[in-house]
Amino acid sequence: MKSINGTQINYYFICKTKLWLFSHNIQMEQESDNVSLGKQLHETSYKKEKEFLIDNLINVDFIKNKDPIEIHEVKKTQSMEISHEYQLLYYMYYLKKEKDISNTVGYLNYQNIRKQIEIELTEEKEEELETVLNDIKSIVDSDVPSPKKSRICRKCAYFEFCFA
Amino acid sequence: MSKKNYYLLSEGILKRKENTIYFVNEKGSKPLPINKIYSMYAYGQITISSQVISLFAKEGIPIHFFNYYGYYNGSFYPRESLLSGDLLIKQAEHNIDFSKRLKLAKLFVEGAAKNILKVLAYYKIENNIKNTLTELNESSKITEVMNVEGRIRAEYYQYFDDILPDEFKMEGRSRQPPTNMINSLISFGNSMMYASVITELYNTQLNPTISYLHEPAERRFSLALDLSEIFKPIIVDRVIFYLVNKKMITEKDFNQDLNCCLLNDKGRATFVKEYNKRLETTIKHKDLGRKVSYQRLIRLEAYKLKKHVFGMKEYDPFVIWW
Ligand code: SF4
């Protein structure tokens, strides 16, 4: 399997079906309103800083070259925090393992509440993250998990696909 | 859906000025904002420039061309942006693996037949179609499945004479060219249906050339033929019954000569308008709990097929439930 990207980490916490579909390149044609709202937000609010794409896997919203290096992710709502946290942890983990950069600190920027949360890659978190990464690999390599209807489905781009 | 299907019924030129397309004909110049176009059906002789084509390509808008007789000529099918290798392999596997293909072929015929039965039930017409359908169980070749399908359709077309007024008698199905009014309407409508399904397939990641009931070699987009079967009775045929029985289409809407009978410009416009109205009609979807248009139902059918080939859920063809 190819390497894991940030979106997969995110989807792992949201829905396993979504993770599988996305990982197998099953995409939905119409962007949901959510996506475009996110994009807009992105374009309007954080224009100055540059987006970073690392090895085509990791798409960091912006990086501040300080000591330690600040990795920033911008989110529009606070509702899916754990996935955000692990996404950011993964970025730091990836930089550490693949690029030998370990003096990093992560920040989640919540736009709507003007809040910033600091994330640190501790040894404990690293272990948890590794479990998540292995779990993702095995889900993607198995059969597609059956969709289960939940609150988030209605806003999901795969909704019609899953339940028609 | 804010995007619309556009139908070009007269001769004209499609021009592009920045991000707007203009349809220019003898009546003048009509702007068609690009972000409002979902797909286009061109019936008249259309002159089209490469700038227009490149904008359609960029925006992912298919255009379907029909000839003077209303037959499908071909489509501009913009290059796909969302290919999935995994899906292509699964789709092909379901064609190559004979038992998998046979299963899907039967499901298409079954779905089509069930929709036909609904149409006939509406007109309270007794029939033998259910019995013919049971022969699917014994069919072990695609040709046998096709044969069952052909017989069901032949029987079904006979009943058109009970539904429609005398002057619209079927007298056997004639295709190219259609020799009477009813055949002309069926051919015209089926070509449109085929094009509509192509549009929906374009908007999924399915490969439109890999089919199950029809032979992939039969037409370029043979998967659209498979899916059309499900929707022809409930879209095309119901449009025909409606228009003819309401006298919205009468003899005056055809050009007739000895061996050919075709809708004229006015008849074509009436048909196209009603057909599009059907596509846009919404119903409350049982499983989704939201309103979807008939056009969207075609898309959902494609999604169901996708799920089938991925082994997520067996394809269960759409059968109208009201
Ligand atoms: S619709 Fe629901 S089950 Fe399907 S992928 Fe989205 S969140 Fe998961």
Side-chain angles (χ1 to χ4, degrees), chain B residues 43-313:
Chain B
Y43 285 90
Q45 279 195 36
I46 305 297
T47 306
I48 192 164
S49 69
S50 64
Q51 287 102 313
V52 171
I53 290 288
S54 74
L55 189 59
F56 276 49
K58 186 171 151 251
E59 300 294 329
I61 301 165
I63 321 174
H64 310 292
F65 297 97
F66 300 83
N67 70 8
Y68 175 74
Y69 302 103
Y71 292 130
Y72 175 81
N73 259 348
S75 298
F76 171 66
Y77 196 82
R79 69 177 179 297
E80 294 114 317
S81 54
L82 303 158
L83 293 178
S84 163
D86 288 355
L87 177 61
L88 181 63
I89 288 165
K90 291 283 180 196
Q91 229 193 302
E93 181 197 322
H94 279 74
N95 175 288
I96 296 165
D97 182 322
F98 181 69
S99 64
K100 289 183 174 153
R101 176 170 175 192
L102 191 66
K103 183 175 205 170
L104 274 173
K106 288 182 181 183
L107 284 169
F108 283 122
V109 173
E110 197 186 301
K114 285 184 173 167
N115 282 313
I116 285 173
L117 286 168
K118 287 278 184 178
V119 170
L120 293 177
Y122 178 84
Y123 290 99
K124 303 198 172 48
I125 292 172
E126 281 180 33
N127 61 77
N128 195 37
I129 285 174
K130 257 200 191 113
N131 284 334
T132 314
L133 192 59
T134 57
E135 290 174 29
L136 269 190
N137 301 332
E138 287 110 61
S139 309
S140 58
K141 294 194 187 100
I142 298 293
T143 48
E144 287 168 14
V145 176
M146 276 301 238
N147 195 297
V148 173
E149 196 265 341
R151 281 168 46 218
I152 289 175
R153 199 157 281 278
E155 186 185 339
Y156 170 55
Y157 281 139
Q158 278 176 23
Y159 301 127
F160 277 37
D161 289 354
D162 300 336
I163 299 172
L164 297 171
D166 283 350
E167 60 275 26
F168 279 83
K169 277 232 175 310
M170 169 75 79
E171 290 160 349
R173 178 89 177 100
S174 60
R175 280 165 231 263
Q176 300 221 16
T179 50
N180 58 23
M181 294 188 289
I182 184 65
N183 277 302
S184 174
L185 290 171
I186 294 173
S187 294
F188 189 82
N190 286 352
S191 302
M192 274 192 109
M193 190 74 246
Y194 176 65
S196 304
V197 177
I198 291 171
T199 296
E200 295 311 314
L201 286 176
Y202 172 71
N203 284 294
T204 72
Q205 294 169 300
L206 285 165
N207 183 306
T209 65
I210 301 176
S211 55
Y212 306 98
L213 175 60
H214 296 82
E215 289 301 330
E218 191 168 333
R219 286 239 210 134
R220 176 136 177 253
F221 300 122
S222 46
L223 184 57
L225 290 177
D226 285 3
L227 283 170
S228 291
E229 298 295 341
I230 306 287
F231 292 98
K232 276 179 340 195
I234 52 177
I235 299 182
V236 177
D237 300 342
R238 284 164 84 210
V239 165
I240 295 174
F241 301 152
Y242 178 81
L243 289 173
V244 172
N245 285 333
K246 290 246 171 208
K247 306 219 175 332
M248 290 161 77
I249 280 195
T250 63
E251 274 163 271
K252 288 195 212 99
D253 293 296
F254 294 86
N255 293 332
Q256 309 221 27
D257 66 35
L258 225 49
N259 47 25
C260 176
C261 173
L262 295 168
L263 275 169
N264 61 27
D265 290 353
K266 189 173 146 277
R268 223 176 261 194
T270 309
F271 193 102
V272 163
K273 198 172 161 206
E274 185 59 31
Y275 175 88
N276 193 57
K277 226 165 102 188
R278 297 283 159 137
L279 282 189
E280 289 180 353
T281 302
T282 58
I283 54 136
K284 176 117 190 234
H285 193 283
K286 281 193 292 194
D287 302 318
L288 298 178
R290 53 168 81 146
K291 280 184 157 187
V292 295
S293 63
Y294 275 82
Q295 180 161 299
R296 197 72 187 172
L297 285 174
I298 306 172
R299 175 83 67 91
L300 298 184
E301 222 46 22
Y303 290 162
K304 280 152 68 180
L305 197 59
K306 246 163 127 172
K307 283 204 285 191
H308 180 95
V309 300
F310 272 122
M312 283 171 80
K313 193 174 172 210

Side-chain angles (χ1 to χ4, degrees), chain A residues 15 17-18 21 147-148 152-153 156 158-159 162-163:
Chain A
C15 168
T17 309
K18 192 166 176 155
L21 293 170
K148 285 186 208 67
I152 57 165
C153 292
C156 174
Y158 293 107
F159 178 69
C162 284
F163 300 107

Side-chain angles (χ1 to χ4, degrees), chain A residues 1 15 17 22 24 26 28 50 53 65 67 74 85 91 101 106 119-120 125-126 132 136-139 141 153 160:
Chain A
M1 203 195 90
C15 168
T17 309
F22 174 83
H24 287 262
I26 301 304
M28 287 296 114
K50 248 206 178 137
L53 186 66
N65 206 353
D67 188 24
V74 184
E85 181 186 342
Y91 294 167
I101 302 170
I119 307 281
E120 205 190 326
K125 289 284 176 196
E126 216 171 283
V132 168
I136 290 178
K137 282 203 179 90
S138 73
I139 289 169
D141 288 340
C153 292
E160 288 183 323

